[in-house]
Every structure is written in structure tokens, then in C-alpha cells.
Amino acid sequence: MTTCPCGSTADYSQCCEPIHHNHALATTPEKLMRSRYSAHVKGLVDYVVDTYHPSCHAEEQREEIAESIDSDWCGLEVVESTEGSHADEGFVIFKATFNQEGQQYCLEERSRFVRENDLWYYIDGTFPEPEQDPRLSQSVQSLKVGRNDPCICGSGKKFKKCCG
């Protein structure tokens, strides 16, 4: 038994592998997203290219897609699946971890999927906005920051040497 890379506890042969052979079996945006992640792990460039929406012209970016697939993928966490503004749109928020040059990274995205001719396709995604320090919306004079505290802008310098 080979556990499916998509994070389910199912065997790959019963989970994403059938979808890799028949795109129509991805009956929800989440199933398509999980199968696309598994395709990254398995190195299935054709499947990833074919499951982009035709308007994305993924074939023209085949080389870049192949490079992104050729990573050391470590795991997938589906954070949330939601319906879109109509029945043929859906969203999946996920976190995918990968290793690169001895460091582990996390790719977090809110992916948008659309359905055309009974097939779900990935169309685009957005990345979460980094959390901002609420003090950034205040004037410098009203801040309660010590001169030797780290600067609120995130530069790594002392406040007095940066924004202070």
C-alpha cells in the first residue's frame, strides 16, 4: 500500500491515481487541488498542465511548471474549501510544504477553480497578506516603542537607527 501524497489516508491507487488517468473524476475543486498536488509529488507535468484552465495557456509555461514540480514536496494541508459566487466556481485554501537548499518552506494559496464542460480547472490563486504590526497605522510620535526595541517596519535594525 502506498499512501496518497495528497494527505488523505487512502491508498494512491484508490485516491488520486484514477484522477490522474481521468480528469473528469475530480468532481470537486478540492479533489482537483489534491490531485494536482499529488501530480507535483509524482512528477506528472502533463496532468498539471492539462488541469489549468485553457485561458491560462499553461502549455506556453510548460518549462516553468516542470521546474516547480521538480521540488522536494513534503506535505499538504487543506485549510478550507468553499463555494464560489456560482455553482461552477470554488476555492481551496491550502498549505504545501517543500524543501529547498536545506530549508523547509510553506506555500500557502487560496486557489480558484472553475468548471467548464463538467471538468474542474485551476484558474488562479492569491497569496495571503502578511500580518502587519498594528502600530504601523500610528504616527511615529504616538508610538510606545523604546529606542533599542526592534523597528516595527521589520528591517531587523533598532528603532532608533531606522524609523525612530
Side-chain angles (χ1 to χ4, degrees), residues 131-142:
E131 289 187 36
Q132 269 196 327
D133 189 319
R135 297 176 296 176
L136 288 175
S137 61
Q138 299 175 16
S139 70
V140 173
Q141 291 77 21
S142 68

Side-chain angles (χ1 to χ4, degrees), residues 119-155:
L119 292 176
W120 283 102
Y121 293 96
Y122 171 83
I123 192 159
D124 57 21
T126 57
F127 302 108
E129 292 290 324
E131 289 187 36
Q132 269 196 327
D133 189 319
R135 297 176 296 176
L136 288 175
S137 61
Q138 299 175 16
S139 70
V140 173
Q141 291 77 21
S142 68
L143 289 174
K144 302 280 191 247
V145 179
R147 291 174 36 83
N148 291 318
D149 288 345
C151 191
I152 61 169
C153 75
S155 68

